[in-house]
Amino acid sequence: MQYLMMIEFKQVSKRYPGGWEALNQVDFSLNKGEMAFLTGCSGAGKSTLLKLIAMLERPSSGQIIVNGAHLSQIPQREVARFRLGIGVTFQAPQLLNDRTVFDNVAMPLNIQGVPAVSVAKRVHAALDMVGLLRQVKKLPRQLSGGEQQRVGIARAVVHKPALLLADEPTGNLDPSLSADVMQLFEHFNQAGVAVLIATHDLGLIAAMKHRIMMLKGGQLC
Amino acid sequence: MLRVWFLHHIQAAKNSLLYLLRQPFATAMTVIVIALGLSLPVLFWVFTNNLAQISTNWQQGGQISLYLDMQQSQAQETALLARVRAVEGVGQALLKTPKEGMLELQQQSGLDDLTIELPDNPLPAVIEVTPSLNMNTITQIEALYQRLKALGGVDEAKLDLQWVNRLHALLSFAATLTRALMFLLAATVVFIIGNTLRLAIQNRSEEIQVLKLIGATDAYIARPFLYTGLWYGIAGAVVALLLAKGFILSLGIVVSKLVIVYQMHYLILFFTATQVLQLLVLAAFLGWFGARLSVKKQLTSIEPYI
């Protein structure tokens, strides 16, 4: 059966040790090639939801299906391979400060074992898309916050994942930079990538014509 | 698949080597500690090699005693002595009459009145044979012994290899000691490298988290660390060889003086190319093993946190 859905949550709950319930019976889905926003106050469960999709956490109950794969059936040793199929960016771009921009972006390709010639080509293409082609040889700390964020995004898309997850990608950026970054995500979405962005920046996303899901107290409303 | 595997190994080997070279001071410190640990067994190895060499040169210590038939005349015994001297491989042969033998026995045992107690001299005549200098292996001496024993008129023959046997026992003791010491110091090297990499992983836990986050397997993350252990082992072995060589060169001056005093010709042996290779492979394995011990366990404990 060909799955039309990229992400499917069925009655998913996540309770942390100590009793805090981050997600409570959440049902939602994201179609292939769709772009959507996930919003809500801090502590509403946005990050938890993204972590569950990236298998950084496992749900307490319920079913999650990503790109046709039931996550509960993926054993721990296969998690790495699963993660390689998606792209993730965060509020802190999680770059390695002792490696150049090029090396940072090349990491997913090196893990996949892409030959060096193709690596160079694809890294340059990804950096070109985020407008950082001239910073290839710099170290991350030589770049501004917005540039670092874009390096993180380039790394998330360089291996052409079918799904891109972004957790507060504009959290540290000023409004005009934020708009640029959002445009970048739209650009990837137009190329066929399903994009799910968690953000509390309602003003920014209201103007964009994409589905907005609101999380409140661990439930979608 | 195989191409990817190969590529990953090349990358890991290269990157880990570059990483070590980028911090030469820290790397040198670790390598020297490993080299000191390795140089002691290396020196022991060299010494046992040399002792074995010396012992093969000195093996003509075997003495053969031929006990002659009692019912022979003095003339027959002298004739036998001449025949023994004609046998190839015999250096020196001396005839000891029963009377001389008894005298020697009395001196050695301190029993002066032995002849009074005994009605007849029960001792046979003995020919003491010292093998010639070119008989320098145990098998050659043993062949000579068999030949002499078969001569007519010889009742019993005794081969005294006690001295040689003692030397061999001593040598095998030294070899066992070397092995035990090597085992201990090999364990030391394993733990030094294990501990060094434990710290390296702690220092790079941020990088490991990021790698896990973007889909690197534990094997992929572990590989550069395993190669780091391998490089440490090899570099440690090379430095240990240099240290041992330096030590032996300085020892060579003393030994050459000693050799002149004893009027012999002796050259200290160092390792053969094969032994050097053996040491390098062993050290590389120890490094890899030490790295593996600490890396596997630690990597599973580091999980990406965002």
Side-chain angles (χ1 to χ4, degrees):
Chain A
M1 189 179 87
Q2 183 70 41
Y3 259 81
L4 285 173
M5 280 178 268
M6 178 53 74
I7 304 172
E8 203 178 349
F9 270 52
K10 290 179 182 166
Q11 300 284 303
V12 173
S13 297
K14 175 67 184 178
R15 235 179 330 274
Y16 284 99
W20 180 53
E21 194 153 46
L23 291 177
N24 186 10
Q25 309 264 317
V26 172
D27 281 292
F28 97 95
S29 63
L30 183 78
N31 288 331
K32 283 187 173 169
E34 190 188 357
M35 177 161 167
F37 292 106
L38 190 64
T39 180
C41 324
S42 56
K46 303 189 296 286
S47 288
T48 301
L49 196 144
L50 288 188
K51 280 185 197 171
L52 289 177
I53 299 170
M55 292 197 77
L56 291 163
E57 306 262 11
R58 299 238 184 202
S60 309
S61 64
Q63 254 196 353
I64 305 171
I65 304 162
V66 176
N67 207 4
H70 288 253
L71 299 195
S72 60
Q73 288 164 11
I74 298 179
Q76 202 58 38
R77 62 171 193 284
E78 295 289 329
V79 167
R81 190 190 311 229
F82 167 79
R83 274 187 207 144
L84 206 48
I86 58 181
V88 196
T89 72
F90 308 93
Q91 182 168 357
Q94 308 268 352
L95 303 175
L96 298 182
N97 285 314
D98 61 343
R99 301 195 193 180
T100 61
V101 167
F102 180 95
D103 288 340
N104 268 286
V105 176
M107 281 198 295
L109 299 178
N110 286 333
I111 294 170
Q112 285 181 340
V114 174
V117 186
S118 314
V119 169
K121 217 179 287 176
R122 286 165 69 175
V123 169
H124 284 125
L127 284 172
D128 191 24
M129 272 194 279
V130 299
L132 290 174
L133 203 47
R134 292 170 61 188
Q135 324 279 15
V136 175
K137 285 177 183 158
K138 287 195 176 162
L139 292 173
R141 61 169 168 272
Q142 295 172 297
L143 305 178
S144 70
E147 285 170 328
Q148 288 187 23
Q149 192 66 47
R150 273 141 66 198
V151 174
I153 294 169
R155 189 185 64 193
V157 298
V158 73
H159 56 302
K160 298 181 181 148
L163 172 63
L164 181 59
L165 303 174
D167 192 8
E168 300 284 1
T170 60
N172 290 331
L173 306 180
D174 61 51
S176 79
L177 275 177
S178 298
D180 286 351
V181 166
M182 283 303 175
Q183 242 180 8
L184 210 54
F185 283 120
E186 263 190 324
H187 180 72
F188 291 124
N189 178 239
Q190 279 154 16
V193 181
V195 183
L196 183 62
I197 301 168
T199 178
H200 61 266
D201 198 344
L202 273 169
L204 182 67
I205 59 176
M208 300 171 85
K209 283 178 254 163
H210 297 290
R211 184 152 64 104
I212 298 175
M213 291 174 283
M214 179 83 105
L215 265 175
K216 201 172 182 184
Q219 283 180 306
L220 278 173
C221 49
Chain B
M1 249 355 251
L2 195 68
R3 189 193 59 78
V4 171
W5 182 85
F6 201 63
L7 188 75
H8 279 162
H9 273 272
I10 301 243
Q11 272 176 356
K14 196 182 93 183
N15 290 341
S16 57
L17 191 61
L18 290 176
Y19 190 86
L20 288 176
L21 294 178
R22 269 206 302 272
Q23 33 195 3
F25 184 72
T27 305
M29 293 285 270
T30 309
V31 167
I32 287 170
V33 172
I34 294 163
L36 290 176
L38 281 172
S39 60
L40 208 57
V42 162
L43 279 173
F44 258 87
W45 195 359
V46 170
F47 281 134
T48 39
N49 276 348
N50 279 283
L51 282 178
Q53 169 77 5
I54 291 170
S55 80
T56 53
N57 286 343
W58 283 355
Q59 258 163 8
Q60 66 268 26
Q63 275 254 341
I64 301 168
S65 306
L66 305 174
Y67 301 93
L68 307 187
D69 279 338
M70 300 282 270
Q71 290 86 17
Q72 286 184 106
S73 68
Q74 191 105 35
Q76 277 175 313
E77 284 170 356
T78 321
L80 183 55
L81 179 64
R83 272 196 290 150
V84 167
R85 282 186 172 148
V87 171
E88 199 195 327
V90 173
Q92 224 179 16
L94 289 174
L95 179 65
K96 232 186 272 173
T97 61
K99 206 186 268 175
E100 286 167 341
M102 181 54 78
L103 221 64
E104 205 174 286
L105 184 65
Q106 279 176 346
Q107 279 168 0
Q108 278 177 6
S109 62
L111 299 170
D112 287 335
D113 48 358
L114 202 59
T115 34
I116 307 164
E117 302 280 332
L118 294 167
D120 285 319
N121 187 345
L123 297 177
V126 179
I127 298 176
E128 297 281 8
V129 177
T130 309
S132 66
L133 286 174
N134 55 14
M135 307 289 285
N136 48 20
T137 68
I138 289 192
T139 35
Q140 278 177 316
I141 291 173
E142 240 151 31
L144 177 67
Y145 162 74
Q146 293 298 340
R147 230 177 303 148
L148 293 173
K149 196 180 175 183
L151 286 176
V154 175
D155 179 34
E156 192 72 52
K158 207 181 106 220
L159 173 61
D160 183 12
L161 283 174
Q162 214 170 36
W163 186 83
V164 177
N165 286 338
R166 273 185 197 155
L167 181 67
H168 276 271
L170 211 64
L171 276 180
S172 81
F173 173 72
T176 311
L177 196 71
T178 304
R179 271 196 292 276
L181 207 72
M182 276 178 136
F183 181 78
L184 273 178
L185 288 155
T188 312
V189 169
V190 165
F191 285 109
I192 291 169
I193 290 178
N195 194 44
T196 306
L197 284 167
R198 190 177 59 80
L199 295 174
I201 289 173
Q202 272 175 13
N203 285 339
R204 293 166 76 178
S205 68
E206 193 193 353
E207 174 181 348
I208 292 167
Q209 286 185 30
V210 171
L211 281 168
K212 284 200 171 186
L213 204 58
I214 60 176
T217 59
D218 278 6
Y220 179 88
I221 299 169
R223 218 168 276 133
F225 291 106
L226 298 182
Y227 271 101
T228 304
L230 194 102
W231 296 133
Y232 273 139
I234 291 175
V238 169
V239 176
L241 280 169
L242 293 177
L243 285 176
K245 184 74 189 172
F247 183 75
I248 285 184
L249 283 178
S250 67
L251 201 68
I253 302 160
V254 185
V255 168
S256 63
K257 277 183 199 155
L258 200 72
V259 161
I260 290 164
V261 172
Y262 277 85
Q263 294 184 322
M264 39 189 276
H265 177 74
Y266 186 71
L267 216 69
I268 309 182
L269 299 173
F270 198 57
F271 282 155
T272 60
T274 321
Q275 281 171 324
V276 168
L277 203 70
Q278 277 174 345
L279 182 73
L280 290 179
V281 170
L282 179 75
F285 170 77
L286 290 178
W288 173 85
F289 183 67
R292 204 190 131 85
L293 272 187
S294 72
V295 168
K296 280 273 167 183
K297 192 173 145 41
Q298 275 209 74
L299 281 192
T300 45
S301 71
I302 298 176
E303 272 303 317
Y305 176 80
I306 51 166

